Amino acid sequence: MSGKATYKTFKGGIHPPYNKELASGKAIRPAPVPSEVFIPLQQHIGAPNEPLVKPGDRVELGEKIGASEAFVSAPVHASVAGMVKDITEVTGFTGAKVKCVVITPDAEQPEFTKQDRDITALSDQEIRDIAREAGLVGMGGAAFPTHVKLTPPKDKPVDTVIINACECEPFLTCDHRVMLERPHDLVQGLKLLMRAVNAKRGIIGIEANKMDAVDAVRGAAKGEAGVEVDILEVKYPEGAEKMLIFALTGRKVPPGKLPSEVGCLVQNVGTAVALYEACAWGKPLYERVLTVTGQGIKDPANLLARVGTPISTLIEACGGFAGQPGKVIMGGPMTGWAQPDTSAPVVKGTSGIVVLTSELVDVGTEEECVRCGKCVDVCPMFLLPNFVVQAVKKEQWDRAEMWGALDCFECGCCSFTCPAYIPHVQYVRKAKAEIAALKRR
Amino acid sequence: MKVADKMLVTVSPHLHKKDETIQRAMKDVLIALTPAAVWALVVFGFNVVYILAVSCITAALSEVVMRKIMRRKPTLSDYSAMVTAVLFAFLLPPTTPLWVVAIGAFLAVGIGKELFGGLGKNIFNPAIFARVLLWFSPLAVYTTKFVKPFFWKTSGFFTPIATSINEGAVGRVVYKTLAGNPVDIPTAATPLALLKSGKWLPDMVAGPTPVGATWLNSGGKPSFWSLFLGAKSGCIGEVCILALLIGAAYLLWRRTIDWRIPVGIIGTFFLLTLVTWHHPIYNLFSGGLFLGAFFMATDWVTSPVTRRGKWIFAVGIGATVFIMRFWSLRPEGVAIAIFLWNIGTLVIDRYIAVPKFGEVGAKVFNQLPVLPEPAPEPAKKQA
Ligand code: SF4
Ligand code: SF4
């Protein structure tokens, strides 16, 4: 074979500037313990947790401090040992108020004491129970409780577990580092996932710009039955669930349906490793690897940060701002949330903090749509984003639905490429809310 | 550490493609039109500059005034009026009197674009709109007289043209003030008109004449080279296929235009001429097919936004041009074909379905889903 290698991919999508080199060479190091941690009681999609502690209580590292009886829910754990100072509302990363347990950490923090459990003996139900007790949620951003995903409907058996190791968001490198530094734990996590849903096949999909990770994971997966490592084209949003399933297996999840419809289960790298830690070590999910990066950060890094750490602590740990910070984004620059200040705490779904300098923030003014069709070309769901926007402007909700408002997963490709600088995602969110309200009637 | 007053909070995504703006795209089109404009200058003399200048100035003035009247924010800086002005000038014969040019440029930008709601809202490609309007107006007589290529060799490069038809008209005064005494230039038929009248058709299949002394000499039968390189009579912007292709290649490389539309138009036309035993190459190289296919039909605003829609649109134009060329009284039909399919765009975009990712079954037409009506507001009780 000659010429450029072609890798698996999907139709549509974009090639944003990646800027991965800022942090990809930095080994994971622990972040400092802040003077106060703010642990949101609800960090997942689903029922809210009730606090299990009250102000004045002492909590140990990894102690459960919030839980709910509901099935679609995941408990939260203390990320430090210390005293509960308060239970109060603070502004979360989405801008909405969230109820937090505020803990003042002890000066000396203990190491987590690992248990030594035999993971090969666990049954599928035990794995699900451990996942729930450890408070596992999807760590790619959406934060859906993992045990729920591991309980697919009876009539839709899962035959393939996919690890989303694309990390297609620009700037972020935490999954890359985890794959390099802990490939064994990732592969074992995948095996646990496969066992939990009784799947024969497990695929780890990695983008072609991380060949060192491919080698590392391939090495760790050698001899493991049913585990494959596949290389994907570098393109955004390669890691979107439906796109990833299509690229790796050729199966198409129908609109409005879940991956289990086509026998697939997708989990993030972080989640797989966290499942391994929970099963093998008895460690709940109270800390995670994340990337603090961007041209607006002095010394970009990959940090092991405790849930509840304010953004400001992490930025200081990376040398502070370089130049004038234009935008501080929680998550990746394509789907993350811009922050008004640096006080919001890190949650389980936080994959990174990206600081763009004010020169790099490209804010055009919104113009009339010129019908160039570029948004239509790049939409990986084959929607018509420009018509959705038009319908929303006229408040024609049925039309917004016809053009695909409900099928949009807010990847932002359309806005990235739009010469008229139309913020499609903003309109889509409005349409979703209005359509949902109408349907509830 | 609060820096709230300095940080920007907007909805995702937080990145935007570099250099992807309306302004940049319009500049690209202007750049792409330059080779054809330069060539027009070579074939038709300095007269081309007068026409372009009048068209641009009128277009700019029309836009500014119309937007003032309609209380919209000024948009001159996006260059779209300039693009329209140049394209409109390209559709005119080099003999067009300047006052007709001015009227046309106003029709294009003032009416065709602004009255329809401004850039993005217009139904018709503004340049085509004005051109078609002129055709069906009494002014048509001014816009159908063509001249021989390189006529200026006998009259001087800088001499403005005045065809006998605008003797004594306002245009003559304008020309006079601009550049002294205009001269009368004999008109010549375009290759298409010759083709229409059935001349030379039998021996059209004679192979191409190599570049040399003969290709510039358009006295006899135009060779393939003279057609391709643009030594022929015709509208200002349409004559040199090579120059148009260079510009088109630039636009395709910049991804300003979608390749499906020109390929669809030219391909359809080519196939239809082939199967009906008309000489395909000769027909392709005569008239404004390339100008229309690459620069007019690809207009973002007035062509469909979906890939499927673009194919329908392009094939439709190709077929319409074919029908106009061989079964209508006019020798040329590209502008009118595009004009008609600009209307078609409205229908295509609304009714031709695009299956979403993962959707099964070939849905062909769109149907509105049914959402419950919003409940009526509870009537306020009178106090
Ligand atoms: S990319 Fe922007 S300008 Fe182009 S069609 Fe879509 S919404 Fe309109
Ligand atoms: S419409 Fe939605 S899914 Fe499609 S490109 Fe835009 S954000 Fe992505």
Side-chain angles (χ1 to χ4, degrees), chain B residues 100-236:
Chain B
V100 175
V101 176
I103 290 177
F106 170 74
L107 286 176
V109 173
I111 309 295
K113 192 169 88 178
E114 293 305 330
L115 207 62
F116 278 91
L119 183 66
K121 296 248 171 82
N122 48 311
I123 299 166
F124 301 106
N125 177 325
I128 299 240
F129 175 82
R131 187 67 184 97
V132 171
L133 238 58
L134 284 188
W135 244 319
F136 292 104
S137 75
L139 295 177
V141 281
Y142 293 107
T143 61
T144 43
K145 292 279 178 258
F146 296 91
V147 292
K148 275 212 261 187
F150 306 107
F151 68 87
W152 49 266
K153 280 183 176 169
T154 51
S155 61
F157 185 73
F158 291 99
T159 319
I161 314 166
T163 49
S164 48
I165 202 117
N166 67 12
E167 287 270 358
V170 191
R172 190 150 183 118
V173 182
V174 180
Y175 273 132
K176 244 187 175 145
T177 41
L178 266 172
N181 258 335
V183 293
D184 289 329
I185 301 293
T187 57
T190 64
L192 260 193
L194 294 173
L195 202 61
K196 185 101 210 163
S197 60
K199 280 184 190 147
W200 298 325
L201 264 180
D203 54 350
M204 267 314 93
V205 279
T209 321
V211 185
T214 47
W215 75 268
L216 283 176
N217 174 10
S218 59
K221 178 192 85 174
S223 70
F224 285 105
W225 278 109
S226 64
L227 287 176
F228 184 68
L229 296 171
K232 60 181 182 243
S233 59
C235 296
I236 291 174

Side-chain angles (χ1 to χ4, degrees), chain A residues 13-14 236-237 243 334-335 374-386 388 403-405 407-417 424-426 428 432, chain B residues 12-13:
Chain A
I14 54 170
Y236 177 88
M243 308 302 112
M334 292 304 295
T335 57
K374 292 187 187 229
C375 54
V376 180
D377 272 356
V378 297
C379 179
M381 288 298 294
F382 311 159
L383 312 176
L384 282 86
N386 53 334
V388 173
W403 302 127
D407 301 294
C408 167
F409 58 87
E410 306 182 13
C411 65
C413 291
C414 45
S415 309
F416 174 81
T417 198
H424 306 76
V425 174
Q426 195 171 315
V428 163
K432 280 181 179 170
Chain B
S12 64

Side-chain angles (χ1 to χ4, degrees), chain B residues 46-348:
Chain B
F46 202 71
N47 205 58
V48 168
V49 175
Y50 299 139
I51 292 181
L52 278 171
V54 169
S55 183
C56 287
I57 293 166
T58 320
L61 282 177
S62 317
E63 173 152 311
V64 170
V65 171
M66 287 300 275
R67 287 194 86 91
K68 257 254 144 68
I69 295 173
M70 302 175 111
R71 304 218 168 122
R72 298 205 196 104
K73 65 174 176 134
T75 49
L76 204 55
S77 58
D78 69 16
Y79 294 102
S80 62
M82 290 305 103
V83 169
T84 297
V86 174
L87 283 177
F88 173 67
F90 272 20
L91 288 173
L92 298 170
T95 58
T96 318
L98 296 181
W99 59 276
V100 175
V101 176
I103 290 177
F106 170 74
L107 286 176
V109 173
I111 309 295
K113 192 169 88 178
E114 293 305 330
L115 207 62
F116 278 91
L119 183 66
K121 296 248 171 82
N122 48 311
I123 299 166
F124 301 106
N125 177 325
I128 299 240
F129 175 82
R131 187 67 184 97
V132 171
L133 238 58
L134 284 188
W135 244 319
F136 292 104
S137 75
L139 295 177
V141 281
Y142 293 107
T143 61
T144 43
K145 292 279 178 258
F146 296 91
V147 292
K148 275 212 261 187
F150 306 107
F151 68 87
W152 49 266
K153 280 183 176 169
T154 51
S155 61
F157 185 73
F158 291 99
T159 319
I161 314 166
T163 49
S164 48
I165 202 117
N166 67 12
E167 287 270 358
V170 191
R172 190 150 183 118
V173 182
V174 180
Y175 273 132
K176 244 187 175 145
T177 41
L178 266 172
N181 258 335
V183 293
D184 289 329
I185 301 293
T187 57
T190 64
L192 260 193
L194 294 173
L195 202 61
K196 185 101 210 163
S197 60
K199 280 184 190 147
W200 298 325
L201 264 180
D203 54 350
M204 267 314 93
V205 279
T209 321
V211 185
T214 47
W215 75 268
L216 283 176
N217 174 10
S218 59
K221 178 192 85 174
S223 70
F224 285 105
W225 278 109
S226 64
L227 287 176
F228 184 68
L229 296 171
K232 60 181 182 243
S233 59
C235 296
I236 291 174
E238 74 183 23
V239 285
C240 183
I241 307 291
L242 179 65
L244 291 171
L245 285 179
I246 292 170
Y250 174 73
L251 286 186
L252 287 169
W253 173 70
R254 292 273 317 158
R255 298 203 183 211
T256 308
I257 60 171
D258 193 289
W259 59 272
R260 292 171 186 86
I261 292 177
V263 168
I265 294 176
I266 295 171
T268 306
F269 185 77
F270 178 84
L271 284 180
L272 287 175
T273 42
L274 196 69
V275 298
T276 50
W277 289 102
H278 294 93
H279 197 279
I281 305 290
Y282 196 88
N283 273 295
L284 279 181
F285 287 176
S286 322
L289 192 73
F290 278 73
L291 179 65
F294 283 105
F295 296 94
M296 309 266 183
T298 52
D299 174 21
W300 285 350
V301 182
T302 55
S303 58
V305 294
T306 63
R307 297 191 193 106
R308 205 181 260 204
K310 280 174 178 147
W311 280 121
I312 299 173
F313 177 78
V315 171
I317 290 178
T320 312
V321 172
F322 175 79
I323 293 168
M324 308 273 298
R325 281 237 180 129
F326 298 107
W327 285 296
S328 84
L329 291 174
R330 291 168 185 282
E332 178 64 289
V334 177
I336 293 173
I338 296 175
F339 183 82
L340 291 175
W341 281 91
N342 282 167
I343 307 172
T345 296
L346 301 176
V347 182
I348 293 170

Side-chain angles (χ1 to χ4, degrees), chain B residues 5-51:
Chain B
D5 50 331
K6 292 163 202 152
M7 280 195 298
L8 198 71
V9 180
T10 55
V11 75
S12 64
H14 306 289
L15 295 178
H16 193 270
K17 191 168 178 185
K18 208 168 158 265
D19 250 4
E20 186 75 79
T21 60
I22 297 172
Q23 199 182 33
R24 173 73 221 204
M26 295 296 166
K27 264 193 214 165
D28 275 345
V29 178
L30 289 177
I31 292 171
L33 289 172
T34 311
V38 170
W39 182 256
L41 202 62
V42 174
V43 224
F44 300 124
F46 202 71
N47 205 58
V48 168
V49 175
Y50 299 139
I51 292 181

